[in-house]
Amino acid sequence: MKFRINYEVKGTLAFLSHLEMMRLWQRAILRSGLPVAWSNGFNPRPKLSLGPARGVGIEGCSEYFDVECKAKVDPEELVKKLNDILPEGIFILAVREIPQSGKMLEAIIDEAVYKVTFPQGVPADAKEKAAAFLKEKTAPFIRKSPKGSKEVDLRAFVNGIEIKEDGIYLSLKTSPAGSIRVTELLTVFGYWDIIKDIRIQRLGLFVTVGTKRFTP
Amino acid sequence: MKQYHHIPVERFLNRVQRPGRYVGREWNIPQKNFENADVQMVMAFPDLYEVGMSHLGLRILYEVVNQAADFAMERVMAPGPDLEALLRAEDTPLFSLETNRAVGDFDILGFSIQYELSATNILNILDLSGLPLRAAQRDHTHAIVIGGGPCVYNPEPFAPFFDVLLIGEGEEAILEFLALYKEMRPGESDVHRAAFLEAVAKIQGFYVPALYREENGAVVALKDAPAVVKKRYIKDLNQAVFPQKPLVPHTSIIHDRGVLELFRGCLRGCRFCQAGMIYRPRREKTVDTLVCDAAAVIQNSGYDELGLLSLSTLDYSHIDTLVHTLTEQYSDQGISLSLPSLRMDAFSVELAKEVQKVRKGTLTLAPEAGSQRLRNVINKNISETDIIDTAVAAFRNGFHSLKFYLMIGLPFEEKEDIEGIKDLITKVKRAAGKGLNLSISIGTFVPKAQTPFQYCGQEMGETVEAKQRDLKSWAKTQKGVRLSYHDFKTSFLEAVIARGDRHVADLIERAFYLGARLDGWSEYFRYDLWLHAIEETGIDAKKYATRWLSPDQNLPWDHISCGVSKAFLQKEYEKAAAALTTPHCAEDACAACGIGCRKAGEKP
Ligand code: SF4
């Protein structure tokens, strides 16, 4: 049986890396005593796959991972068993059974929606900046990493930007082939020096089928 | 009521390399209100999180204190250089992991001192907490600063920074200390604080440095503090608290696994080994206790590996029963066991085979010295045949990579002993045949207080480094052999602190002010800062490391007793000089070390 688990990550645990989240789930699943299926090979691991990585420090309001069990499990019991052994800040919201042969989360999720909150309120020029950005065809950005610099076109990843009173809402494209960071976008907006005080939440992840948008 | 400052940690985590070190909220944090306890302590491990959380002692004390309703213990580790820079730039104090409160606000700040070179990290934590570095400058408004761990068996280089040092095991002592704190309220006034410290000094195991003074190279007690502080140890490990609900870190740590402590105290009596002296007597847990610990740890943590931890783990009396029981129970659940290092006999290899059924790792052997004569000097009671046979048996059983630990710069070492290392490796390779990978780790001898070699000076850097180079270039010509060694400068500073007196504290403080941090990490170690500090303070560091002490002169740590008598240490030193061995008293006659678990000559 395969399950898709919907969860949230709040507070300081949002600062865990993708790898650390992976290990967290592996251990949590072992602790829960659920009859999880194991991978074969030299280093057997519980069979689970995570959705697209979140940037470090970004809270997740509606995240996903898939887990395979080798025996029948009641979804409600699964939620309870996991929530009993999860650290403060991580919480399972919902679970549903999915087909055994479905595609990996990473392969189907193509959009992520973020909310950025500023302690001093949304900057006054945000509407202007967003409109100007959306008008452009391209927005080249030099991404620096220990491996060197690379140019990415931020514009190509932005589906939409909405400025509301309580924050900036961003719809960004994501796929295994690439994604951009919210902080990169905020940097071109000129908000670099206030980044340490902002709060970023990933509100949801979506799958597009035709012209319709679904949750995974 | 005391005012505690809460630190908004999130705003720093964005900007550090490994935020996982500081996020806290590990699984199994006790469900208690830390901010409501009568006495609130924060325990510091003066190294990075991944080292601190790998240390069992810290986890044990954490469990002991947090089981008590009146007391609470939080944790703090040394910050990485990036977090330190941010905290200093934004004038923010260091914070505890549990409640993110400022470390300097707690009633008590404890330090676990496991390694000499964590000294500057201790000062950094004090400084980042806004506490004066020296006990003499602190008053009743400041936290009481207490330390413990193997390094305090020569407490003097640390003494000026601490209000109290605990000699020996902390499980019982810490509760007595906290209870006394609750009763005497040292935070109320300077008079209360002084009275509290005087009262603490009367409890066995507690050393209050302010109540002692140096006279002719000896440390003597003022007022009615005890002349000799005797270590504390707990009698029965089966009755002692063990963290059956271990904290599960989110970021990867050095020993990222569940842990069982099989016993304390090793009786092999290697003469360089401080742990072998200070943790006596030997106390074992029963197989029942351990099986029960194992079940709890696995169930409560979700770890897939269980480390069997102790000094010379395979000396545990019921090791085969324990290993059989555990492998039977857990190997089909994907849970593996790990052993720190192998004893050198056939039995060990058999056991290693069983233990590594799930995952085959590298096996480690520690012959320590290359020649038989030098192994006798250090009392490593194994023969060349034992070493070769064990290596060959391991190789034949599918362990194609072996790790060897050897030491250079040992007392009474001759040129032939270095040749002996090459000789031993050559023989092992020849006996095993093709396909064996050896990685040889060459350590440098560091004389430690409370050992038979406490009298011995460390060899000079020039000659140690020449030996390192010689071995390295030899190893390069050997197929399948990789040889590495530690930077001598590190070993040198370890020796300075391990055998220093109170003056060495000035050197540590100066090095800290010059910027020395995380000296145990080669990427952060700045020897130039230490040289600078040596020059500025005029402290003859070399003298502390290299001087030979006479058994009839006063030692800076004579006021501390680990239970092993000075007479025994002296006798062992003399036997070392004559290359005579003393048998392992777990299997042979009692050698009358002074700890008194048996009578001299009595068989086990
Ligand atoms: S008292 Fe005797 S048996 Fe006990 S540890 Fe010392 S030498 Fe060994």
Side-chain angles (χ1 to χ4, degrees), chain A residues 10-16 19-21 23-24 26-28 30-32 38 42-46 56-59 83-90 183 195-198, chain B residues 9-15 18-28 90 100 248-253 256-257 298-304 333-335 358-360:
Chain A
K10 297 242 154 108
T12 57
L13 291 193
F15 288 88
L16 298 181
L19 204 77
E20 288 165 347
M21 281 307 290
R23 202 172 26 226
L24 184 147
Q26 280 170 357
R27 286 182 181 153
L30 291 186
R31 280 200 297 271
S32 71
W38 286 73
F42 186 67
N43 242 341
R45 296 266 173 251
V56 169
I58 297 179
E59 292 176 300
N83 274 335
D84 279 351
I85 47 89
L86 283 173
E88 182 196 329
I90 300 189
T183 47
I195 276 179
K196 62 177 185 291
D197 292 312
I198 60 173
Chain B
V9 173
E10 271 97 341
R11 61 193 305 272
F12 296 98
L13 297 184
N14 255 328
R15 296 174 286 161
R18 266 183 74 175
R21 284 172 177 157
Y22 316 108
V23 297
R25 289 170 183 67
E26 296 92 334
W27 177 244
N28 284 330
E90 292 173 33
N100 297 157
V248 183
H250 297 305
T251 191
S252 71
I253 61 171
D256 214 351
R257 57 180 84 102
I298 288 171
Q299 179 170 17
N300 294 328
S301 68
Y303 282 127
D304 58 5
Q333 291 180 33
I335 290 159
V358 185
R359 268 164 236 167
K360 238 174 210 177

Side-chain angles (χ1 to χ4, degrees), chain B residues 267 280-282 564 568 585-586 588-600 602:
Chain B
L267 304 183
R280 290 178 182 219
R282 181 160 123 138
V564 171
F568 176 79
C585 64
D588 219 307
C590 166
C593 72
I595 199 81
C597 60
R598 263 186 274 144
K599 285 199 201 72
E602 192 183 321

Side-chain angles (χ1 to χ4, degrees), chain B residues 222-286:
Chain B
L222 307 168
K223 299 193 188 166
D224 49 357
V228 173
V229 180
K230 286 203 202 107
K231 85 157 176 212
R232 293 289 293 267
Y233 66 88
I234 57 159
K235 299 265 149 31
D236 184 358
L237 284 186
N238 294 294
Q239 304 297 318
V241 168
F242 185 77
Q244 291 196 336
K245 289 184 168 182
L247 296 185
V248 183
H250 297 305
T251 191
S252 71
I253 61 171
I254 311 271
H255 300 300
D256 214 351
R257 57 180 84 102
V259 160
L260 293 185
E261 186 184 29
L262 277 47
F263 63 96
R264 281 185 204 165
C266 168
L267 304 183
R268 296 195 157 252
C270 297
R271 291 176 180 134
F272 57 84
C273 178
Q274 191 188 41
M277 300 293 147
I278 62 176
Y279 295 123
R280 290 178 182 219
R282 181 160 123 138
R283 291 144 293 153
E284 293 195 331
K285 286 193 183 182
T286 64

Side-chain angles (χ1 to χ4, degrees), chain B residues 188-434:
Chain B
E188 248 152 60
S189 73
D190 286 353
V191 176
H192 282 78
R193 187 173 171 110
F196 169 70
L197 291 175
E198 274 177 39
V200 170
K202 298 209 171 79
I203 311 177
Q204 190 189 330
F206 288 96
Y207 171 50
V208 177
L211 302 179
Y212 294 76
R213 173 175 79 223
E214 197 172 315
E215 259 172 38
N216 305 322
V219 176
V220 295
L222 307 168
K223 299 193 188 166
D224 49 357
V228 173
V229 180
K230 286 203 202 107
K231 85 157 176 212
R232 293 289 293 267
Y233 66 88
I234 57 159
K235 299 265 149 31
D236 184 358
L237 284 186
N238 294 294
Q239 304 297 318
V241 168
F242 185 77
Q244 291 196 336
K245 289 184 168 182
L247 296 185
V248 183
H250 297 305
T251 191
S252 71
I253 61 171
I254 311 271
H255 300 300
D256 214 351
R257 57 180 84 102
V259 160
L260 293 185
E261 186 184 29
L262 277 47
F263 63 96
R264 281 185 204 165
C266 168
L267 304 183
R268 296 195 157 252
C270 297
R271 291 176 180 134
F272 57 84
C273 178
Q274 191 188 41
M277 300 293 147
I278 62 176
Y279 295 123
R280 290 178 182 219
R282 181 160 123 138
R283 291 144 293 153
E284 293 195 331
K285 286 193 183 182
T286 64
V287 172
D288 284 348
T289 307
L290 290 167
V291 167
C292 165
D293 286 348
V297 166
I298 288 171
Q299 179 170 17
N300 294 328
S301 68
Y303 282 127
D304 58 5
E305 188 180 343
L306 205 52
L308 305 186
L309 191 86
S310 283
L311 301 159
S312 190
T313 295
L314 295 192
D315 283 346
Y316 177 57
S317 313
H318 315 287
I319 186 77
D320 43 353
T321 319
L322 178 70
V323 167
H324 291 317
T325 316
L326 293 178
T327 34
E328 213 156 273
Q329 216 153 336
Y330 296 115
S331 61
D332 60 347
Q333 291 180 33
I335 290 159
S336 59
L337 301 181
S338 72
L339 296 171
S341 89
L342 266 204
R343 212 170 64 180
M344 272 159 281
D345 52 30
F347 166 77
S348 302
V349 176
E350 281 305 307
L351 208 66
K353 236 170 71 188
E354 171 145 15
V355 163
Q356 311 251 2
K357 239 189 304 198
V358 185
R359 268 164 236 167
K360 238 174 210 177
T362 312
L363 283 189
T364 304
L365 279 73
E368 311 289 5
S371 73
Q372 194 59 49
R373 187 196 66 89
L374 196 57
R375 281 196 296 275
N376 292 350
V377 167
I378 63 176
N379 204 41
K380 189 92 195 173
N381 285 318
I382 40 160
S383 69
E384 185 175 274
T385 326
D386 295 334
I387 302 167
I388 296 173
D389 289 354
T390 310
V392 170
F395 178 66
R396 301 246 156 92
N397 280 300
F399 294 95
H400 291 180
S401 295
L402 298 180
K403 202 173 191 166
F404 270 62
Y405 279 131
L406 288 148
M407 238 191 280
I408 58 172
L410 284 162
F412 314 111
E413 181 180 275
E414 310 276 352
K415 198 169 176 304
E416 297 81 70
D417 300 309
I418 302 298
E419 294 307 312
I421 292 179
K422 302 176 189 170
D423 207 43
L424 178 70
I425 303 298
T426 311
K427 284 182 181 157
V428 166
K429 273 179 57 187
R430 198 177 305 142
K434 266 205 194 109

